[in-house]
Amino acid sequence: MGEETSQANGSTTSTSLRRKAAEVIATSLETYRSKPFSFWLLLFLSSGAMLTAFPASSLLSRLYYNDGGQSKWILSWAAVAGWPLPALLLLPLYALGKASLTPLSLALCFWYALLGFLSAADNLMYAWAYAYLPASTASLVAASSLAFSALFGRAIAKNTLNMSSLNAVVVITAGVVIVALDSGSDRPPGVMPRQYALGFVLDVLGSALHGLIFALSELVFARVLGRRSFHVVLEQQAAVSLCAFAFTSAGLAVAEGFPAMRREAARFAHGGEAAYANVMVWTAVTFQLGVLGGTGVLFLASTVLAGVLNAVRVPFTSIAAVIWFHDPMSGFKILALVITVWGFASYMVGHSSVRKTSAS
């Protein structure tokens, strides 16, 4: 009798799982068919750019300091020095008549300048953070950008924020707290406790500013530029990066950073000036591709999804930092990594449920 009951329960569970799988597949197909193929291709490319270029940019930032770089202003400047890249991508579209230049209004110029200033400040905060934190730790702390993206996305861009999203925010915040409690185990040689604490705080503030920039960018697309065509993503990225480049160049000039570049390059490890130029160029390229991908995601989807993908890159960056830079990976840090992934999974499951409920 007990064996028959067990078999019946197993059969019921199996049927339930098959039904749920069929519902997920049906919902996914319905979602896919609701948008043209070009939409999914652009979303795939934008997401891929975020998940590959941002980790590469983070690792290059740590490499800059490891091999002899010292200036936070120079690293911030290198990040936005690639502003012509999105502009170059726009030229063929204009030349072939596939897109037309968006007229500049006073409001649009204000938003470009504001976002450029915030981006410059954000880059500088991250530059300070990577100067004092291991790359794996800095990336784990930066996962808090999901929490800020969700909150700012709700407050500014009116994105949906359900209980699963709030749960993900709380769980990922707990992961950041765990990293903070383990701060003594992975402090790089020569970094004082006060400097480590400063890097940690600036990493959190930079993540908050990152979430704010995402939300404000989505607001600009919704209220000013409109979601007309993907070329407006390239226009915004070129204009905002140009403004950020102007602000950062002014700061670098005041800090006498331009003459310091030659001195840093001369003593840079593993190749001197050639290695230094290589790191600077690839920092500019990877950062621009990452930001372009993030801007594309929030244009096509939402601020919250951009924040989620920003958190997803954490495992890639942390594992790569352990392999490449031999970052210490304590039990606390592994626990924080697991919690971060769990928070991401919580968001995805909850968001999928909301979409299925809305569709029905």
Side-chain angles (χ1 to χ4, degrees):
M1 184 71 178
E3 185 176 344
E4 292 177 358
T5 303
S6 177
Q7 289 177 350
N9 290 337
S11 176
T12 303
T13 302
S14 177
T15 303
S16 177
L17 289 174
R18 284 198 297 268
R19 186 184 300 114
K20 288 183 180 295
E23 290 176 355
V24 169
I25 293 173
T27 303
S28 301
L29 287 174
E30 185 178 350
T31 303
Y32 173 77
R33 290 165 182 159
S34 66
K35 301 286 186 180
F37 174 76
S38 58
F39 171 89
W40 296 111
L41 178 61
L42 288 171
L43 185 60
F44 174 78
L45 293 175
S46 298
S47 302
M50 284 191 72
L51 294 177
T52 54
F54 270 146
S57 178
S58 299
L59 294 173
L60 286 167
S61 297
R62 187 63 253 176
L63 180 64
Y64 166 77
Y65 290 117
N66 283 0
D67 285 1
Q70 296 179 338
S71 173
K72 288 81 176 175
W73 278 107
I74 290 177
L75 185 59
S76 301
W77 182 85
V80 289
W83 69 266
L85 288 177
L88 290 174
L89 293 175
L90 275 169
L91 291 180
L93 297 178
Y94 293 151
L96 296 173
K98 300 293 184 180
S100 58
L101 180 65
T102 301
L104 286 176
S105 63
L106 187 61
L108 190 56
C109 289
F110 166 78
W111 281 112
Y112 284 158
L114 176 62
L115 289 171
F117 176 78
L118 293 178
S119 297
D122 189 41
N123 294 336
L124 189 59
M125 288 180 185
Y126 278 134
W128 277 86
Y130 276 93
Y132 299 136
L133 301 178
S136 56
T137 302
S139 64
L140 278 169
V141 176
S144 61
S145 64
L146 172 56
F148 295 113
S149 295
L151 295 175
F152 285 127
R154 173 59 180 168
I156 296 174
K158 307 305 179 185
N159 293 160
T160 302
L161 189 62
N162 57 13
M163 287 305 298
S164 294
S165 299
L166 287 173
N167 179 64
V169 168
V170 172
V171 169
I172 289 176
T173 303
V176 174
V177 172
I178 289 174
V179 175
L181 294 175
D182 191 41
S183 60
S185 69
D186 66 345
R187 192 167 65 246
V191 175
M192 304 295 291
R194 183 173 57 185
Q195 292 174 320
Y196 187 98
L198 176 62
F200 192 96
V201 170
L202 289 176
D203 203 359
V204 174
L205 291 177
S207 300
L209 198 52
H210 206 67
L212 177 62
I213 291 169
F214 274 163
L216 291 176
S217 296
E218 185 178 358
L219 183 66
V220 171
F221 286 131
R223 301 282 182 84
V224 184
L225 283 173
R227 300 180 186 271
R228 295 175 287 116
S229 171
F230 194 79
H231 84 277
V232 298
V233 173
L234 297 171
E235 288 184 342
Q236 173 168 317
Q237 183 56 33
V240 170
S241 294
L242 175 59
C243 292
F245 179 75
F247 286 122
T248 308
S249 296
L252 185 63
V254 171
E256 299 183 350
F258 288 107
M261 285 186 186
R262 186 174 295 276
R263 295 193 298 270
E264 281 191 350
R267 61 171 184 268
F268 204 66
H270 306 108
E273 292 184 359
Y276 188 82
N278 200 28
V279 170
M280 292 292 103
V281 169
W282 281 110
T283 296
V285 171
T286 55
F287 182 82
Q288 284 299 314
L289 288 178
V291 174
L292 183 58
T295 307
V297 168
L298 63 90
F299 171 81
L300 295 165
S302 69
T303 295
V304 180
L305 181 59
V308 167
L309 291 174
N310 206 36
V312 172
R313 69 185 174 95
V314 168
F316 301 118
T317 310
S318 298
I319 294 170
V322 171
I323 296 172
W324 196 358
F325 299 123
H326 306 291
D327 279 6
M329 202 67 175
S330 66
F332 278 107
K333 196 181 290 186
I334 293 173
L335 177 60
L337 180 59
V338 172
I339 286 177
T340 299
V341 174
W342 178 268
F344 162 70
S346 173
Y347 169 83
M348 292 304 294
V349 170
H351 189 64
S352 176
S353 300
V354 169
R355 281 190 305 181
K356 187 168 65 176
T357 302
S358 301
S360 62

